[in-house]
Amino acid sequence: MARLAVWAYQRLRAGVDRLAPPELLLAERITGVAGTAVAGALVSSGLAGRLDDRPRSARELVSDGALDRDSAERLLRGAAAVGLVDRVGDGFRRNRLTRGLQPDGRRTLAPLATFFASETNLRAWSRFLEAVRAGEVPFRRAHGHGIWEHLAASEEEGAHFARAMDALTRLDADAVVDTPGFSGLPGLCDVAGGTGALLEAALLAHPELQGVLVEAPSVVQLARRRFERAGLLGRVRLEPADVFARVPEGLPAYVLKDVLHDWDDARALALLEVVRQAMPPGARLLLVELLLGDGPVEPLASLVDLQMLALTDGGRQRSAEELGALLRKSGFAPPVVHRTRTASSVLVSEAV
Ligand SMILES: C[S@@+](CC[C@H](N)C(=O)[O-])C[C@H]1O[C@@H](n2cnc3c(N)ncnc32)[C@H](O)[C@@H]1O
């Protein structure tokens, strides 16, 4: 998401909202879960993938009998109501938001839509008030265990979450690896690097670079397939590991993208210390995060912060100053902050 476009949209929306009846705005906010369910169902039912530029009736779209026609039609009407498809008379066709829910395409958010609408996610949100009342972790209250145990216990759920993170990272990766901290590096270790979307972008943008990706074992398998498909396996070492116990030593740079936000300060410090121990003198640390207090990005960061509150054990979005304080406590120099052209920022620091 281009930073400038986010800013312009927020200004325009604030202006339009001032003209709208408050009951209408409230109804939209209060019933937001319907939008989540509709987006997820459009993807999982296959309807998003079936829509094209020609308006077709629900009857035509479900003529193979795979879906309930009445419910599918109501789903499509609801999708049109929240702008996810276009309605033309009795027919429905895709628009630019539908394209972002279609399974193919480099910038699809389809896996994010299905994760948000999943029972795993919605059950956690149903316990959200317990966080506000008593500081409980909603995900634990709902599932009886933490999110990372949950994802490790089911191959299907783990892969689903990893694909959702991958879809988000693909939106940002080119802009992130274009910032100064990524240039001139012979090697880079992506710590808890997911399925490798960021590392792939870094390898493609910097032909001299060799990469190491360290992740939970099941996620490493998915990363291996990505690098195989991209013909980049020769430039990457894949290391299954618990990053709180060990990260590979001796690389000239280490990156953590949207990793510290999963953890409370104590765990974030513990992780930074493990990385610090692995770093040779003068090595570079790159933290990629959506920052609180970052102008137009602030509302987005505040919403991601709520997702951290709902799902993780004390994870949170932080400001540049808060991340700087964690870095100082774990043996790093004060960071230089580089804003990308998208919403993420890159904090560049060195071990001291
Ligand atoms: C929010 S995702 C970010 C993934 C990736 N950095 C990105 O931005 O796309 C956090 C990642 O941390 C990984 N993770 C969590 N605990 C871990 C652990 N103890 N050891 C290794 N990886 C872990 C998860 O598997 C997940 O892929």
Side-chain angles (χ1 to χ4, degrees):
M1 262 170 279
R3 179 174 285 266
L4 191 62
V6 171
W7 174 82
Y9 171 68
Q10 280 163 2
R11 296 295 293 263
L12 282 172
R13 201 179 65 178
V16 171
D17 279 2
R18 270 196 290 277
L19 301 174
E23 299 81 2
L24 179 62
L25 296 179
L26 271 174
E28 277 178 11
R29 307 300 186 271
I30 291 166
T31 59
V33 69
T36 301
V38 164
L42 273 181
V43 175
S44 299
S45 67
L47 274 172
R50 289 182 201 188
L51 288 161
D52 59 24
D53 302 332
R54 187 170 56 92
R56 276 177 295 163
S57 67
R59 183 191 294 273
E60 281 176 87
L61 284 162
V62 301
S63 58
D64 61 359
L67 301 173
D68 178 77
R69 187 166 67 79
D70 178 59
S71 303
E73 180 155 17
R74 291 160 73 181
L75 168 66
L76 287 163
R77 282 204 306 260
V82 293
L84 292 175
V85 305
D86 282 350
R87 187 171 176 182
V88 185
D90 284 341
F92 301 93
R93 70 174 175 211
R94 72 179 164 189
N95 61 24
R96 62 197 184 117
L97 270 63
T98 325
R99 283 178 201 276
L101 294 175
Q102 294 189 315
D104 44 355
R106 193 166 174 265
R107 297 178 70 83
T108 182
L109 284 177
L112 187 72
T114 54
F115 177 74
F116 260 76
S118 70
E119 187 179 346
T120 296
N121 184 50
L122 292 179
R123 271 180 65 190
W125 277 98
S126 74
R127 310 299 288 263
F128 187 67
L129 185 59
E130 290 164 56
V132 180
R133 280 208 172 122
E136 304 271 5
V137 176
F139 193 97
R140 280 193 183 272
R141 296 293 292 163
H143 293 280
H145 48 244
I147 181 163
W148 305 115
E149 293 156 80
H150 188 84
L151 298 177
S154 154
E155 198 176 318
E156 194 185 334
E157 293 232 31
H160 191 184
F161 179 82
R163 282 198 304 272
M165 293 305 101
D166 186 274
L168 271 178
T169 296
R170 272 185 281 130
L171 295 182
D172 246 6
D174 290 342
V176 168
V177 303
D178 209 20
T179 56
F182 284 81
S183 62
L185 291 172
L188 175 68
C189 178
D190 195 346
V191 178
T195 55
L198 183 72
L199 192 56
E200 179 181 357
L203 292 169
L204 293 175
H206 302 285
E208 71 291 352
L209 184 69
Q210 299 285 322
V212 178
L213 182 124
V214 52
E215 249 294 349
S218 55
V219 184
V220 165
Q221 290 315 315
L222 301 172
R224 180 178 303 284
R225 273 183 239 151
R226 133 166 290 114
F227 290 115
E228 239 162 26
R229 272 198 307 271
L232 289 168
L233 258 188
R235 291 173 60 199
V236 189
R237 203 169 84 222
L238 298 167
E239 296 226 3
D242 172 359
V243 293
F244 286 92
R246 180 186 76 78
V247 302
E249 289 183 5
L251 274 293
Y254 291 75
V255 59
L256 288 85
K257 177 178 179 295
D258 294 329
V259 176
L260 290 189
H261 80 160
D262 291 332
W263 305 100
D264 62 16
D265 283 0
R267 297 286 279 165
L269 275 175
L271 179 52
L272 285 172
E273 275 158 18
V274 172
V275 176
R276 169 78 185 73
Q277 292 304 317
M279 289 172 74
R284 194 180 292 170
L285 180 73
L286 305 159
L287 295 182
V288 185
E289 294 267 347
L290 279 183
L291 297 177
L292 285 178
D294 182 13
V297 174
E298 168 79 23
L300 204 57
S302 297
L303 291 176
V304 176
D305 184 54
L306 291 185
Q307 185 71 16
M308 296 304 113
L309 186 56
L311 262 62
T312 67
D313 292 347
R316 59 192 308 129
Q317 295 307 118
R318 296 179 174 90
S319 64
E321 293 71 29
E322 287 168 331
L323 286 169
L326 290 178
L327 287 171
R328 201 172 49 248
K329 283 187 195 156
S330 48
F332 290 94
V336 177
V337 181
H338 295 281
R339 294 195 161 73
T340 69
R341 58 180 181 271
T342 61
S344 291
S345 291
V346 184
L347 276 68
V348 184
S349 181
E350 268 188 25
V352 286

